[in-house]
Structures are given as structure tokens and as C-alpha cells.
Amino acid sequence: MSPGGRIGPATLITYLDHLERADRAGAVALAQGLLADGCSVADVLVDLVAVAQREIGRRWLSGSWSVAQEHAATHVSELVVDALGAAVGAPHRGHVVVACVEGEWHALAARIVSEVVRAAGWRVTFLGASVPARHLVSYLHQSGPDAVLLSCVQPNRLVRAARMVEASRAAGVPVVAGGPGFGPEGRWATAVGAAAWGASARDAVRLLAGPLPAGTHTGPQPPPDDEYVPVLHRRRELVRLALAAVDPPEATAEDVAAGIAHLVDALIAAARVDDDRLLLEFVAWQEEALTARGGRRLLDEVLAALERALAEHPRVAARVRHARAAVTAG
């Protein structure tokens, strides 16, 4: 640990070693030792656990770690979050609800936010991964929290995030958005009606300390032409057509279908916030993952199939064509 209570590179390397070996006892002991040495819960969870999780994601993306290794390491970090949460005292502030966007199963970041906010004195209800909008609004009416903290890791979930924000605002509860799914610096958070966006759990604590706009029905609206709506209605058909066009081997068909579904969702989200950067950045991410696994050509074939299938939606097809040109140029 470096001076001033900050967690240094050597500590991160040691923690990552525990994760690589799925050594939960060692990871928990290291985290608890940092607390004993004067680090705060936020220090350990934000500067160690969250940073390590980003490195885990990088290792999976590069192909140096398998899905099984990533899952095992994530589970160890979840146990660390649990252990540190047990040390938090009684709440003395208001009530906030933390939830992941429907379809979003990466819940560790939201768990970290929950415990950091709880350590700051708030009563926190963590609703978990993949919360349907209708279930969220029902809970909000029952519990009447001061705010919703909404986590979105993947930008292809933004349409569902918009539904959850709208439901929260209709219940009179402001939403603080968080996670890379809302874009760099949260560029798409206000486009879907969020009151604010934070890059980290510390930002969530800071934003909750200030006034947040009350929920209303007058927030940002979808693009005037609603070009994303017909594509959203055709989502399953588009996935089926693209999958049939590339005809993957049976052993990989399920994974390819899931990847195509994510890509279609990213296309719909780009149309919803009217920003091609969302699709281009998502395609670049998929290209990196596929290239690491020897399948870059597959992405071009999928995009070509989607462009053909969307001929009757020229503006959306143009977005796909732009993304395909970027892949070809790369």
C-alpha cells in the first residue's frame, strides 16, 4: 500500500494472483488487512477490486483467460465484497435502490457501488442482475426510495435502460446512471432520461449528497422518427436471418447466435440515442474478441447479412454499412 492509504501496483498484482488461483481465503484476507491498515471500504472496492475486475475482462477479451477462469475470479471478488460489506455500520441517511439493467448479468460493479454507498451511510437495497422494468417500478411504488442507481455495463442494453429510467421517473424517483454501457463520460445517460451519471462508486456517493431532479415525464425523448422501433420489433427475425446466413458449426451455433443478438441490440441502441459511435465502438470490441479467437471474418459476414435484411429501413441499414466499412478498413 502506498502512502496516504492509496492502494499501489504491488497490492494489485498480489490480489490478481489470488484471483488467478481462485484463492478466496487469500483475497479476503488481503482486503481485510487493507481495512485494518487504514484503507476505507471505498479504497479497497474501487481502487483494488474494481481495477482488478477490469484487468480480468481484458484477459478474457485477449483470449489469455477462459470463461471458466473469468467466472472463478469474479466469484472470489464477490466474496471479498461480501466480507467488506459485513463491516459496514448502521445507515443514517436515506434509502437508495441499486439495480442492473434488464438483460445485464454482470452484477459485480453494481455490488461494489452498493457497498460503497452503504458505507457512506445510506440504506441500500440491491435488486441484483437483470431487473425487468415492470418489477422495478412495482418495487419503487412499494418502497419509495430517494433514488435509483442503475448499472449498465454493455451499451447494447441501452434501450432496456431507457425503459427502466422511464419507469423510475414515472414513479417520481430520479435515476443516477453508472457503468460503461452509458458511454464514455456517460454521454448517453441523459439521452435516456437519467438525472446524472457517475464513473465510479465514489461518484455515486457524491451525486447522492447533492440535489437530484425529481422524476417527471418531461425528460429526453427518443429521436423524432423513432427509427429504432421497427428494428426492435424485428429483433428475433434479424438474429435468425443473420445466423442462417453465416451457418456456423453446431458446436459454436449458440455462441454465435448470442453474439449476433448483442450486435442487433447495439444497432437498435445506436438508433435510439442517434449516435453511430455506439455501434462502431461495440463492433470494434466484438472484432477484437473474435480476432483473438480466430473469427474476424465472421463479423463482416454477419454485418453484411444484417445490411441486406434491413434494406427496407435505409437509415438503419446505413448505420450497419458504416460499421461494416470500419471493420473492412481495419
Side-chain angles (χ1 to χ4, degrees):
M1 188 173 67
S2 59
R6 297 294 299 244
I7 294 170
T11 304
L12 176 61
I13 291 171
T14 301
Y15 184 73
L16 283 167
D17 181 62
H18 288 309
L19 298 186
E20 187 168 10
R21 293 184 287 110
D23 175 14
R24 63 181 185 177
V28 169
L30 187 154
Q32 291 176 330
L34 290 171
L35 287 184
D37 287 342
C39 287
S40 68
V41 170
D43 291 335
V44 180
L45 294 184
V46 176
D47 298 334
L48 180 67
V49 179
V51 173
Q53 193 63 20
R54 289 194 290 273
E55 172 60 19
I56 289 169
R58 187 198 66 77
R59 292 180 184 186
W60 171 83
L61 185 63
S62 68
S64 61
W65 272 27
S66 68
V67 171
Q69 287 175 296
E70 183 270 329
H71 284 185
T74 298
H75 178 61
V76 170
S77 282
E78 288 171 344
L79 295 174
V80 170
V81 174
D82 285 341
L84 268 60
V88 173
H92 56 272
R93 291 183 168 179
H95 178 207
V96 298
V97 168
V98 180
C100 296
V101 170
E102 183 177 5
E104 179 58 73
W105 296 98
H106 297 85
L108 181 58
R111 291 277 314 282
I112 289 172
V113 170
S114 294
E115 295 307 331
V116 171
V117 169
R118 200 154 67 88
W122 293 85
R123 180 165 69 91
V124 178
T125 301
F126 178 62
L127 298 185
S130 190
V131 180
R134 66 185 183 280
H135 293 172
L136 174 64
V137 72
S138 175
Y139 186 82
L140 297 182
H141 282 298
Q142 293 171 9
S143 61
D146 297 287
V148 171
L149 305 181
L150 185 62
S151 173
C152 183
V153 175
Q154 297 177 312
N156 57 312
R157 303 296 185 193
L158 271 181
V159 170
R160 294 179 181 183
R163 292 174 184 162
M164 297 181 75
V165 172
E166 181 181 356
S168 300
R169 290 167 62 89
V173 182
V175 175
V176 175
F182 290 101
E185 304 302 319
R187 64 166 66 126
W188 302 308
T190 56
V192 298
W197 176 85
S200 72
R202 288 193 182 98
D203 288 336
V205 171
R206 174 180 56 80
L207 291 166
L208 287 171
L212 291 170
T216 68
H217 295 282
T218 59
Q221 298 298 312
D225 58 4
D226 285 348
E227 64 172 337
Y228 78 98
V229 174
V231 183
L232 179 62
H233 290 164
R234 293 185 60 196
R235 179 183 181 276
R236 290 185 180 180
E237 175 195 358
L238 292 170
V239 174
R240 177 178 56 80
L241 290 172
L243 185 64
V246 298
D247 190 24
E250 184 176 352
T252 61
E254 186 174 347
D255 288 342
V256 172
I260 293 173
H262 291 326
L263 181 57
V264 172
D265 286 340
L267 171 62
I268 295 168
R272 168 63 177 82
V273 298
D274 194 22
D275 191 341
D276 278 354
R277 290 175 296 180
L278 190 156
L279 180 61
L280 291 171
E281 290 166 7
F282 188 83
V283 166
W285 176 83
Q286 278 206 327
E287 181 182 13
E288 184 178 351
L290 287 169
T291 300
R293 291 158 176 80
R296 179 178 178 182
R297 182 179 175 185
L298 177 66
L299 180 57
D300 179 67
E301 293 174 349
V302 168
L303 289 169
L306 289 175
E307 184 180 348
R308 292 192 299 269
L310 290 164
E312 64 187 86
H313 308 291
R315 291 190 56 178
V316 182
R319 295 181 190 273
V320 179
R321 187 161 53 251
H322 188 194
R324 190 182 176 202
V327 170
T328 303

